[in-house]
Amino acid sequence: MSRISNEQVKHVANLARLAITEEETKKFTKQLDAIITFAEQLNELDTENVEPTYHVLDMKNVLREDIPQQGLPREEVLKNAPEHQDGQIKVPSIMGKED
């Protein structure tokens, strides 16, 4: 016995302003019924002693500790910059002179 009817699918399609054919209506009815059946199977599982999970992996803090370290030498940083001046990377101006 189907848990959803063709008329219900047509009604939802109409609310969503979707034009579906009779063939599509039958196809979606069958697919939605399969989804409802699967959801009902999940409801049969005993989850009384199962704690809720929010992620499949047990992740607490994925960030490393913030430890200050010596940076790269300035010459090495500037060697791949297209332009540099006075030890700084030179970039094009993005704001007009009036701003």
Side-chain angles (χ1 to χ4, degrees):
M1 179 178 138
S2 182
R3 290 161 193 83
I4 187 163
S5 67
N6 288 345
E7 288 71 31
Q8 289 173 313
V9 171
K10 288 177 185 176
H11 177 68
V12 171
N14 184 46
L15 292 174
R17 298 177 188 258
L18 296 173
I20 58 174
T21 64
E22 194 62 36
E23 183 179 319
E24 289 171 327
T25 302
K26 291 177 184 173
K27 177 182 170 186
F28 295 145
T29 302
K30 188 174 181 179
Q31 290 177 342
L32 289 169
D33 188 59
I35 292 169
I36 292 170
T37 300
F38 181 70
E40 288 176 351
Q41 288 175 347
L42 292 176
N43 286 335
E44 295 173 5
L45 294 173
D46 180 15
T47 58
E48 187 172 308
N49 296 323
V50 178
E51 291 185 30
T53 56
Y54 304 101
H55 198 281
V56 293
L57 302 175
D58 185 24
M59 299 175 70
K60 294 192 170 58
N61 185 0
V62 295
L63 302 176
R64 65 174 169 77
E65 193 171 331
D66 190 15
I67 301 172
Q69 296 179 353
Q70 183 68 33
L72 295 171
R74 183 180 301 251
E75 296 77 25
E76 190 171 337
V77 172
L78 294 175
K79 76 179 181 184
N80 291 325
E83 289 186 61
H84 55 89
Q85 180 179 0
D86 301 327
Q88 305 290 320
I89 296 173
K90 193 172 179 181
V91 295
S93 176
I94 58 170
M95 298 179 73
K97 291 183 179 182
E98 301 93 41
D99 296 334

